Amino acid sequence: MAEAEPVASPTADAPADSADDAGFTVRGQQLDLRTSLGSAPQVEPGLYRATLPAGKSTTYAKIQRRPGETLNVAVSGAALEPGKPYFATADHRLAADFVIPSEYGTPTTCGRSSSSAGTYLSSGDAFGVLTATNTAEGAKTPRTIAPNDECYQATTLYIEISREAPPAAGAMPVEIQVTREPKITGTPDQPVTKADLAKLQTLPKDDDVVVAPGRGYSDAPELKPDGTTRLDVRLGETYFYKVRVGWGQRLGASLDVPGRAAPKAPQVDTEVSLGLRNPMRQGVGSTTSSQSAQQPGDDTAITPDVAEVSTAPVRWANRSVDSTLYGDISSDSAQATTAAGWYYVVVRADPSDSAETKTGVAPYRTQLTVQVTGTAGSGPTFVDASNQAMPAPKPGELSIGGQDGGSGSSLPWARIGGGIAAALLAALAVAWALRARRNA
């Protein structure tokens, strides 16, 4: 007898897990993933939490979509190994895909890509939060890498989540975000041009204000469009903030390392990274070559270093950006800057030396500053399969977050006039080394 098909439907007040051993916050409706398509639980757009078993695994969930709709999934979890504070001793992999059944047995891949630099760790790499993302497009675009038309036409798809890690790493708690983008009517905007891919400079601010960071996407605190915060970072920790970005706007961020008010240099050689992610949690933003600043042996003399990242303007039509277009911001990043809502600023600190094992290191002070430029527009008009304007969506129907105040789990429908992410994107980050004499 066939196994009964569970159905999961998240609620606005979904229960939250406590943070895992790395401090990464996992929230959402509990989801019982299955190892076969036939018994996969059916899900709706929203936020879920699950636990992936130790070692190697592949599990599934099922989702329905209307013709022309685009689906996005993001799976996030912290890579760990017992007794290893900072660096992996074996390979870790976390991947997400959309698939459909195939007559040949192995499911057909329908996601835009099957790999992402942000979802792999090799032996010797620093641990961190792995975020695997994928998109099932509702129609062909320049960013599409789907195998056949069957994928665009499918109304029943399966979310495939796979993990590979050394058995000693144990089970991995993960947070799963599923979002749905209806098709649009008309042409709401034009894709960005090369001029739009120039880096947006964000000057660091000097302010004593402190906004305590989140330890995951779902508990990230809001920074205002011109906000700044002092941020004391600890080795092996990842910090999250979110900023609302509207249609037509750009997000820039800078990290002053060390912050101007830093009392002293770090106790060990330290590398701090700064990255941006869109509402679908895909990596976006400009990249520059790594920079290094040699801190002198005298802790009272500190040479500041500043890193900056920025996005392209948010436009629905960016999914049609030519893949050969390149500037300070890559075409891959521009192709993912397609939705207004919450954009995430992610900061991570690790030792520069992969042989470092010293723990209990004092926190290191930095200053994080963000800016949002441009005037928010109205965005596209979304329609159903019959090309009729859609009614107000349920929470989770569209990208998480919106343009105006409140906690809002979906885009503000009233603001957008009756309607309302390239390959899997690497987690784009700017990293640089901050070197100091070790203090024993």
Side-chain angles (χ1 to χ4, degrees):
M1 184 171 65
E3 188 174 3
E5 180 184 90
V7 177
S9 181
T11 64
D13 298 319
D17 274 343
S18 58
D20 66 18
D21 290 341
F24 177 62
T25 301
V26 175
R27 289 181 171 174
Q29 174 85 10
Q30 183 65 46
L31 180 60
D32 181 17
L33 297 167
R34 302 299 177 89
T35 57
S36 68
L37 300 184
S39 60
Q42 184 164 312
V43 298
E44 297 293 336
L47 195 64
Y48 300 88
R49 56 188 170 95
T51 300
L52 306 184
K56 184 176 181 179
S57 65
T58 300
T59 51
Y60 298 92
K62 178 181 179 181
I63 188 167
Q64 305 288 338
R65 71 170 176 183
R66 292 180 285 267
E69 287 183 335
T70 292
L71 298 174
N72 301 283
V73 64
V75 183
S76 304
L80 299 168
E81 291 178 24
K84 306 298 180 182
Y86 304 123
F87 296 96
T89 63
D91 294 345
H92 293 249
R93 173 180 178 268
L94 181 64
D97 207 343
F98 286 97
V99 301
I100 56 176
S102 167
E103 60 181 311
Y104 302 106
T106 302
T108 298
T109 296
C110 286
R112 287 195 284 118
S113 175
S114 59
S115 65
S116 167
T119 59
Y120 292 86
L121 289 181
S122 298
S123 177
D125 288 345
F127 290 128
V129 176
L130 304 182
T131 297
T133 65
N134 218 323
T135 297
E137 300 277 16
K140 290 183 180 180
T141 69
R143 70 178 186 176
T144 297
I145 309 176
N148 52 53
D149 289 342
E150 188 179 1
C151 287
Y152 305 112
Q153 298 164 0
T155 56
T156 299
L157 295 99
Y158 295 83
I159 298 169
E160 181 183 81
I161 300 173
S162 56
R163 180 200 182 201
E164 295 181 28
M172 173 187 274
V174 294
E175 183 172 281
I176 305 167
Q177 178 185 271
V178 182
T179 56
R180 186 198 313 273
E181 296 177 81
K183 67 178 183 177
I184 68 164
T185 184
T187 304
D189 50 29
Q190 295 295 319
V192 296
T193 64
K194 184 176 179 62
D196 296 312
L197 301 184
K199 182 176 68 175
L200 175 65
Q201 184 177 24
T202 301
L203 297 176
K205 294 183 178 180
D206 190 3
D207 199 314
D208 290 334
V209 65
V210 176
V211 179
R215 298 305 306 278
Y217 297 98
S218 55
D219 70 348
E222 181 179 2
L223 289 180
K224 298 301 182 183
D226 59 349
T228 189
T229 180
R230 191 177 68 199
L231 177 60
D232 291 347
V233 300
R234 290 183 179 273
L235 293 182
E237 294 190 353
T238 308
Y239 307 99
F240 295 80
Y241 293 91
K242 62 185 179 183
V243 183
R244 289 191 183 276
V245 184
W247 297 105
Q249 294 184 313
R250 301 183 67 185
L251 171 63
S254 68
L255 195 67
D256 195 3
V257 185
R260 290 176 172 81
K264 59 182 179 179
Q267 292 178 296
V268 301
D269 295 356
T270 301
E271 183 174 282
V272 185
S273 63
L274 171 66
L276 301 177
R277 288 184 175 267
N278 66 13
M280 291 77 76
R281 303 183 178 179
Q282 300 160 340
V284 294
S286 53
T287 59
T288 66
S289 59
S290 296
Q291 298 177 335
S292 64
Q294 182 70 39
Q295 301 295 345
D298 183 354
D299 285 351
T300 63
I302 300 175
T303 303
D305 222 350
V306 177
E308 299 176 84
V309 289
S310 54
T311 70
V314 177
R315 300 177 185 174
W316 187 94
N318 283 350
R319 64 197 67 215
S320 296
V321 166
D322 191 306
S323 297
T324 63
L325 191 67
Y326 200 86
D328 294 325
I329 300 168
S330 70
S331 59
D332 284 354
S333 291
Q335 289 174 346
T337 314
T338 59
W342 289 122
Y343 278 67
Y344 298 92
V345 182
V346 185
V347 178
R348 169 86 184 178
D350 291 294
S352 298
D353 185 353
S354 61
E356 181 62 66
T357 60
K358 183 179 181 179
T359 58
V361 177
Y364 182 53
R365 184 155 298 171
T366 69
Q367 189 77 29
L368 175 64
T369 303
V370 300
Q371 66 166 326
V372 176
T373 64
T375 301
S378 59
T381 298
F382 288 84
V383 296
D384 61 20
S386 301
N387 292 321
Q388 299 299 310
M390 296 181 62
K394 298 177 182 178
E397 283 280 307
L398 296 165
S399 46
I400 302 299
Q403 295 176 0
D404 51 11
S407 60
S409 58
S410 63
L411 287 174
W413 195 259
R415 280 285 194 114
I416 26 190
I420 283 283
L424 265 181
L425 297 175
L428 302 179
V430 176
W432 67 102
L434 301 169
R435 312 216 176 262
R437 183 199 305 182
R438 301 175 188 273
N439 296 327

